[in-house]
Amino acid sequence: MKKVVLAYSGGLDTSCIIPWLKERDYDVIACIGDVGQGENFEAIKERAVKSGASKAYCLNLQKEFIEDYVFPALKAGALYEGKYVLACALSRPVIAKHQVLIAQKEKAVGLVHGCTGKGNDQVRFEVTYRLMDPSLEVIAPVRGWEFKTREEEMDYLASKGIKIAVTKKKPYSIDTNVYGRAIECGILEDPWQEPPEDIYAMTKSPNKTPSKPTYVEIEFEQGTPKKINGKSYAPVELIQVLNQMGGDNGVGRMDMIENRLVGIKSRETYENPAGTILHMAIRDLESLVLDRESLHFKEIFSQKYAEIIYYGLWLTPLKSQLDAYFKKYHETTTGVVRLKLFKGTCTVVGRKSKFSRYNQKMATYGKGDVFDQSLADGFIKLWTIPYMKR
Ligand code: ARG
């Protein structure tokens, strides 16, 4: 029997994959990556074994996910198509990485995932597999197998004598981790329909949030968030605290038409309270401590970095080159940003830094102005020269 390692979620698809592969003479090891799905992982491990896995690993990847994937993306200002914080996209390379490591440890010959052939995730998994270990065979059963519906998959499990509790068909397809949620399918497939309230789990409806704003101060050190309201937090806890604060105020909902890598447009809805707050905060702090050219130039790199993540290219040279750039860029991104969370909105209301380039004496329209306005006349004349007719 050929040994393979499956990225197992505990859902119906990946549960079916196990007996399906065993029928084809594979020995399946389940690999469960805990990136903060908030599931009962002991139950998932048990389900993997009940479905026929010879072994089940559950790895807590939350810390690595936030420190080595989420924070670099935050420093890069990476928002796909200017909006999506990439919570799901960032989790794929870390799960795939550990799947490969287990495959190598177990001397397996292949890697398996349960992604469909229409999405981005298959690309993110497989590019990571191939870049880490091209000798491993890649199997993606869901792309080509015989089952067309959930009912057929459940009948198949029953026919194999596998009794696992599968959750009732939910109206949506959901991906969750500690950094956020993505919700698609069902009624959301009609881009004209407003997302119904029942898709949300991390954020309260702004109708039901406090009538007084919540203020929060976030302290950054060289682009890494370290403290909330003066208190230090480890990376995962920091994200959890901001998710709670943002979610309680209805902050972090997003509804967009997104361009997938495979060419189709899809309607996507997201909840990312912490991501929304942090991206807004860091960007604002940058505007205080960096000069105009640095700020404007960086935008191109932010967009590129977002595409790298979205397109599954985490392990490529350009990604690490950009990390070096952003490390330099953030040498002075140290300071505090004060934000107001209120009724679904997140607004920066204050910022300070020992590296501030803001000079009140230069900027003021009041007393103590040191800006020499007499220089403006000559400046504008020179500024215009290149465009004059002769
Ligand atoms: N469209 C997003 C992405 O490609 C999220 C996909 C999440 N999957 C889901 N089953 N909702 O990163």
Side-chain angles (χ1 to χ4, degrees), residues 162-174:
I162 296 166
K163 289 193 195 76
I164 55 166
V166 277
T167 42
K168 274 216 306 290
K169 171 92 180 102
K170 293 191 209 86
Y172 312 110
S173 161
I174 299 171

Side-chain angles (χ1 to χ4, degrees), residues 312-337:
L313 303 176
W314 188 256
L315 293 180
T316 61
L318 183 54
K319 140 80 174 57
S320 49
Q321 291 159 23
L322 291 179
D323 281 334
Y325 163 81
F326 281 110
K327 186 163 188 274
K328 187 78 190 160
Y329 176 86
H330 281 300
E331 274 180 353
T332 58
T333 313
T334 296
V336 184
V337 181

Side-chain angles (χ1 to χ4, degrees), residues 84 88-89 120-121 124 173-175 182 184 258 268 270 310:
Y84 168 38
C88 167
N120 300 311
D121 287 334
R124 298 169 184 151
S173 161
I174 299 171
D175 183 80
E184 23 175 353
E258 183 176 294
E268 307 276 337
Y270 297 110
Y310 194 86

Side-chain angles (χ1 to χ4, degrees), residues 189-218:
E189 285 179 1
D190 176 355
W192 181 247
Q193 287 289 330
E194 182 174 352
E197 204 48 49
D198 71 354
I199 70 167
Y200 299 110
M202 298 176 80
T203 56
K204 286 197 181 132
S205 162
N207 292 326
K208 293 189 177 144
T209 57
S211 54
K212 276 204 213 123
T214 302
Y215 287 88
V216 57
E217 290 184 8
I218 303 175

Side-chain angles (χ1 to χ4, degrees), residues 37-334:
Q37 297 90 325
E39 305 250 15
N40 178 348
F41 288 103
E42 276 313 307
I44 293 182
K45 262 171 96 168
E46 207 182 293
R47 197 176 304 171
V49 173
K50 273 193 186 160
S51 302
S54 61
K55 216 186 229 185
Y57 284 89
C58 181
L59 310 166
N60 186 339
L61 307 177
Q62 292 191 43
K63 182 167 179 284
E64 183 177 352
F65 173 52
I66 298 297
E67 280 178 3
D68 298 346
Y69 295 77
V70 169
F71 282 177
L74 173 68
K75 286 183 190 163
L79 296 171
Y80 185 63
E81 299 187 331
K83 292 179 167 178
Y84 168 38
V85 307
L86 295 156
C88 167
L90 284 163
S91 73
R92 298 317 188 213
V94 69
I95 296 170
K97 170 187 159 186
H98 287 277
Q99 200 186 341
V100 173
L101 295 177
I102 286 181
Q104 290 170 338
K105 185 177 127 189
E106 289 282 351
K107 303 202 177 358
V109 297
L111 299 160
V112 192
H113 66 72
C115 305
T116 73
K118 289 179 77 171
N120 300 311
D121 287 334
Q122 53 176 342
V123 183
R124 298 169 184 151
F125 274 107
E126 290 181 36
V127 170
T128 306
Y129 297 163
R130 293 192 55 78
L131 289 178
M132 282 185 70
D133 193 341
S135 73
L136 293 167
E137 182 190 356
V138 178
I139 311 172
V142 177
R143 281 206 292 245
W145 66 14
E146 59 276 31
F147 313 121
K148 296 284 166 267
T149 61
R150 280 179 74 83
E151 286 64 37
E152 286 176 31
E153 291 181 28
M154 287 194 283
D155 290 346
Y156 172 71
L157 282 183
S159 78
K160 292 276 149 194
I162 296 166
K163 289 193 195 76
I164 55 166
V166 277
T167 42
K168 274 216 306 290
K169 171 92 180 102
K170 293 191 209 86
Y172 312 110
S173 161
I174 299 171
D175 183 80
T176 308
N177 63 49
V178 63
Y179 194 43
R181 281 176 89 238
I183 314 103
E184 23 175 353
C185 303
I187 191 183
L188 297 167
E189 285 179 1
D190 176 355
W192 181 247
Q193 287 289 330
E194 182 174 352
E197 204 48 49
D198 71 354
I199 70 167
Y200 299 110
M202 298 176 80
T203 56
K204 286 197 181 132
S205 162
N207 292 326
K208 293 189 177 144
T209 57
S211 54
K212 276 204 213 123
T214 302
Y215 287 88
V216 57
E217 290 184 8
I218 303 175
E219 185 169 335
F220 290 87
E221 267 170 42
Q222 300 198 310
T224 304
K226 295 279 186 186
K227 292 184 185 174
I228 301 168
N229 293 332
K231 189 170 178 256
S232 296
Y233 288 94
V236 175
E237 285 70 43
L238 184 129
I239 295 295
Q240 287 167 334
V241 169
L242 289 178
N243 274 335
Q244 187 69 45
M245 284 183 164
D248 285 347
N249 287 282
V251 169
R253 295 182 174 188
M254 169 69 66
D255 173 358
M256 67 188 283
I257 303 296
E258 183 176 294
N259 289 289
R260 281 196 197 160
L261 188 49
V262 293
I264 41 184
K265 286 188 189 296
S266 60
R267 200 275 187 92
E268 307 276 337
T269 51
Y270 297 110
E271 291 186 281
N272 296 102
T276 303
I277 296 168
L278 286 170
H279 271 279
M280 190 171 282
I282 192 170
R283 188 182 176 83
D284 193 275
L285 188 55
E286 291 163 26
S287 71
L288 184 70
V289 298
L290 283 157
D291 62 286
R292 180 181 64 203
E293 291 311 306
S294 301
L295 289 165
H296 293 187
F297 188 78
K298 166 244 182 184
E299 297 295 334
I300 304 164
F301 283 3
S302 292
Q303 192 189 328
K304 199 70 205 171
Y305 204 99
E307 287 169 6
I308 286 172
I309 296 167
Y310 194 86
Y311 299 166
L313 303 176
W314 188 256
L315 293 180
T316 61
L318 183 54
K319 140 80 174 57
S320 49
Q321 291 159 23
L322 291 179
D323 281 334
Y325 163 81
F326 281 110
K327 186 163 188 274
K328 187 78 190 160
Y329 176 86
H330 281 300
E331 274 180 353
T332 58
T333 313
T334 296

